[in-house]
């Protein structure tokens, strides 16, 4: 009876990795919601031949809110000058500095966004054109976690907004329950040219202050969410490019496409870094002082309400800087992994011309793409450590 030989060295067909659907809209869903609240034009609305009434309304709303925030900064500065003249306590002046700083920080971010709105939307369109139809399950789950983390951060920011506005009224609510008398106070200090304690006028002034605090928070969220979203999309493209370079059946036309994609991603990173670099510098310099003030007010506040308010704000500021630095490190990691993927590929099986191309990608891939604060520092986790240390040492 003849026995059948088994060829143990025969190559077995490799099973394709499981795929998962993670749509491009999953990345920008949160960005689209925040942009609508702020009055920002979405990337797919920018190049419409005839803007709709809704787009025109959003643009008008953005500029109306922008001018309103500038007016509030002027009113806060006027109140600060008056407080200095009447020898207000240091804690009270610190409260004013934090509020002025946060609103100024918002104006800078909104200005940056509006000045580069067209170019930022063009970057999003480029990344959408590069986006694959399907992803391997592992990277899809990784980026789902990143998106979930962004949503969680946004929810925490909104919670802080509510706490910051409501906790101020805890003593007044206590007095109202005990005595039935409602003390008219406002959550923020602005110098008004009218008597805001009058009926109806107080309610309108209160809504005006709630509006300015809400617009400030959503303005910061818009800029930071856009920053994180674009970095995630760029990082994904670097990762997909690296895995494609590692595949053994890469022929010359595919290799040329990979080189072109690598150069495109490098160009996108350079443009994005140029746009966000000034804003990041303001963020890190300003946040150090604001964190220091928040820490002081938390430990030496005039009352428990203010201590709670600014301890929550302190936490959010630290989380905000961590978010920017963390995603900066993600970009650096994914972009520098290109060299590792090229080294792991079977480049030696290609012709000499293709080997030289692999070598060029390897050399360029060792230069990680990064976000900087006007070249003063690299936005990464070590930067977060440095900013936190300086802030708590001030």
């Amino acid at each position: 009876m003849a026995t059948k030989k088994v060829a143990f060295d025969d190559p077995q067909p490799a099973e394709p990795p499981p795929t998962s659907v993670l749509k491009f809209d999953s990345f920008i869903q949160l960005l689209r919601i925040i942009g609508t609240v702020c009055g920002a034009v979405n990337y797919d609305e920018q190049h419409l031949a005839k803007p709709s009434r809704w787009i025109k309304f959003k643009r008008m709303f953005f500029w109306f809110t922008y001018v309103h925030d500038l007016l509030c900064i002027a009113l806060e500065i006027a109140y600060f000058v008056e407080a200095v003249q009447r020898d207000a306590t240091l804690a009270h002046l610190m409260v004013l500095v934090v509020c002025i700083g946060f609103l100024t920080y918002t104006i800078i971010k909104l200005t940056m966004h509006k000045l580069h709105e067209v170019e930022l939307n063009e970057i999003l369109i480029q990344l959408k054109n590069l986006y694959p139809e399907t992803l391997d399950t592992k990277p899809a789950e990784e980026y789902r976690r990143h998106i979930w983390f962004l949503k969680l951060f946004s929810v925490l920011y909104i919670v802080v907004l509510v706490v910051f506005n409501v906790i101020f009224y805890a003593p007044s609510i206590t007095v109202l329950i005990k005595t039935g008398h409602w003390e008219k106070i406002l959550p923020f200090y602005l110098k008004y040219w009218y008597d805001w304690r009058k009926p109806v006028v107080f309610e309108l002034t209160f809504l005006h202050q709630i509006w300015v605090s809400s617009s400030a928070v959503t303005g910061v969220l818009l800029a930071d969410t856009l920053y994180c979203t674009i970095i995630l999309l760029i990082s994904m493209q670097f990762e997909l490019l690296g895995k494609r370079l590692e595949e053994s059946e890469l022929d010359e036309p595919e290799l040329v496409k990979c080189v072109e994609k690598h150069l495109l991603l490098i160009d996108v990173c350079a443009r994005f870094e140029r746009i966000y670099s000034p804003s990041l510098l303001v963020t890190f310099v300003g946040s150090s002082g604001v964190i220091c003030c928040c820490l002081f007010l938390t430990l030496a506040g005039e009352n428990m309400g203010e201590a709670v308010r600014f301890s929550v704000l302190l936490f959010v500021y630290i989380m905000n800087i961590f978010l920017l630095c963390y995603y900066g490190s993600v970009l650096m990691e994914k972009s520098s992994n290109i060299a590792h993927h090229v080294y792991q590929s079977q480049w030696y099986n290609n012709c000499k011309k293709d080997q030289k191309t692999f070598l060029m990608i390897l050399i360029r891939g060792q230069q990680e793409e990064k976000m900087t604060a006007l070249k003063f520092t690299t936005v990464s986790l070590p930067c977060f450590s440095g900013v936190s240390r300086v802030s708590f040492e001030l």
Side-chain angles (χ1 to χ4, degrees):
M1 183 176 178
T3 58
K4 185 178 180 179
K5 295 183 179 180
V6 180
F8 291 98
D9 55 349
D10 287 345
Q12 299 294 325
E15 294 183 1
T19 58
S20 177
V21 177
L22 180 61
K23 296 182 179 180
F24 182 81
D25 289 342
S26 300
F27 286 87
I28 65 168
Q29 182 182 20
L30 178 63
L31 181 62
R32 192 186 296 273
I33 295 173
I34 298 174
T36 301
V37 174
C38 294
V41 179
N42 296 320
Y43 77 99
D44 52 354
E45 300 173 336
Q46 186 70 45
H47 299 286
L48 294 177
K50 187 178 180 180
S52 63
R53 292 182 179 178
W54 171 242
I55 297 177
K56 293 179 181 179
F57 171 77
K58 287 202 298 183
R59 286 173 175 165
M60 290 177 58
F61 178 74
F62 176 88
W63 286 115
F64 189 73
T65 305
Y66 185 86
V67 173
H68 177 258
D69 290 349
L70 286 175
L71 174 63
C72 290
I73 291 179
L75 295 176
E76 283 188 326
I77 293 175
Y79 187 94
F80 178 81
V81 173
E82 186 180 80
V84 172
Q85 292 175 349
R86 67 169 185 266
D87 296 328
T89 63
L90 179 61
H92 186 64
L93 294 177
M94 285 283 191
V95 172
L96 300 177
V97 168
V98 171
C99 294
I100 294 172
F102 186 76
L103 203 53
T104 305
Y105 173 62
T106 303
I107 288 293
I108 292 173
K109 282 185 174 289
L110 288 176
T111 303
M112 178 276 304
H113 182 275
K114 200 62 181 180
L115 286 175
H116 302 283
E117 186 177 41
V118 175
E119 190 172 2
L120 288 169
N121 287 336
E122 288 176 352
I123 290 175
L124 281 174
I125 292 173
Q126 282 184 302
L127 293 172
K128 183 180 181 180
N129 295 333
L130 292 173
Y131 198 83
E133 295 182 0
T134 58
L135 286 173
D136 292 346
T137 301
K138 186 175 180 181
E141 291 301 322
E142 176 186 354
Y143 288 100
R144 278 198 183 94
R145 287 194 296 270
H146 284 301
I147 296 172
W148 179 86
F149 183 69
L150 271 179
K151 292 179 179 179
L152 176 62
F153 176 77
S154 301
V155 171
L156 286 176
Y157 231 129
I158 300 301
V159 170
V160 168
L161 170 65
V162 175
V163 171
F164 202 80
N165 289 330
V166 172
I167 196 67
F168 191 78
Y169 290 93
S172 298
I173 294 173
T174 303
V175 173
L176 177 64
I177 294 174
K178 291 181 179 180
T179 64
H181 173 70
W182 172 250
E183 182 184 3
K184 292 183 178 181
I185 56 176
L186 294 173
F188 304 103
Y189 302 104
L190 286 81
K191 181 176 176 58
Y192 293 106
W193 60 92
Y194 57 86
D195 185 6
W196 51 267
R197 293 177 177 83
K198 293 181 179 179
V200 181
V201 177
F202 168 75
E203 285 75 14
L204 292 175
T205 305
F206 175 79
L207 292 176
H208 138 76
Q209 291 204 356
I210 295 299
W211 177 26
V212 71
S213 61
S214 303
S215 63
V217 169
T218 52
V220 172
L221 271 178
L222 174 66
D224 291 348
T225 304
L226 179 61
Y227 166 89
C228 297
T229 300
I230 291 181
I231 281 187
L232 281 180
L233 290 168
I234 295 175
S235 301
M236 173 186 287
Q237 294 301 328
F238 273 119
E239 184 173 1
L240 296 176
L241 176 61
K243 292 185 180 299
R244 183 72 184 110
L245 288 168
E246 199 171 339
E247 295 177 358
S248 57
E249 71 275 7
L250 203 63
D251 54 10
E252 184 175 352
E254 285 292 324
L255 184 58
V256 171
K257 291 181 180 179
C258 289
V259 173
E260 292 175 349
K261 182 177 180 180
H262 192 205
L263 293 175
L264 176 61
L265 291 175
I266 292 172
D267 177 68
V268 169
C269 287
R271 291 163 57 197
F272 187 59
E273 192 271 339
R274 175 179 56 81
I275 293 172
Y276 259 86
S277 188
S279 174
L280 291 171
L281 178 63
V282 172
T283 298
F284 291 122
V285 174
S287 295
S288 299
V290 173
I291 289 175
C292 178
C293 292
C294 289
L295 185 62
F296 174 81
L297 291 170
T298 300
L299 300 177
E302 295 180 343
N303 55 65
M304 182 60 67
E306 285 192 352
V308 173
R309 290 178 85 195
F310 289 98
S311 62
V312 175
L313 187 62
L314 172 66
F315 170 75
V316 170
Y317 256 102
I318 294 175
M319 283 297 298
N320 190 9
I321 297 177
F322 173 78
L323 193 75
L324 300 177
C325 293
Y326 173 73
Y327 283 106
S329 292
V330 170
L331 176 63
M332 294 171 64
E333 177 189 356
K334 299 297 183 181
S335 61
S336 61
N337 280 346
I338 291 289
H340 174 75
H341 288 295
V342 172
Y343 181 77
Q344 293 294 330
S345 68
Q346 298 182 14
W347 55 268
Y348 42 82
N349 290 333
N350 293 68
C351 63
K352 289 186 177 181
K353 181 180 178 181
D354 290 349
Q355 289 179 7
K356 291 180 180 179
T357 304
F358 272 110
L359 180 60
M360 292 173 59
I361 300 174
L362 176 65
I363 294 173
R364 183 58 184 86
Q366 292 175 342
Q367 302 177 26
E368 57 195 8
E369 302 302 318
K370 55 190 176 183
M371 299 295 294
T372 67
L374 278 181
K375 309 300 181 183
F376 284 98
T377 184
T378 300
V379 182
S380 59
L381 289 177
C383 175
F384 168 73
S385 176
V387 171
S388 301
R389 183 179 66 254
V390 171
S391 301
F392 282 89
E393 288 178 355
L394 287 177

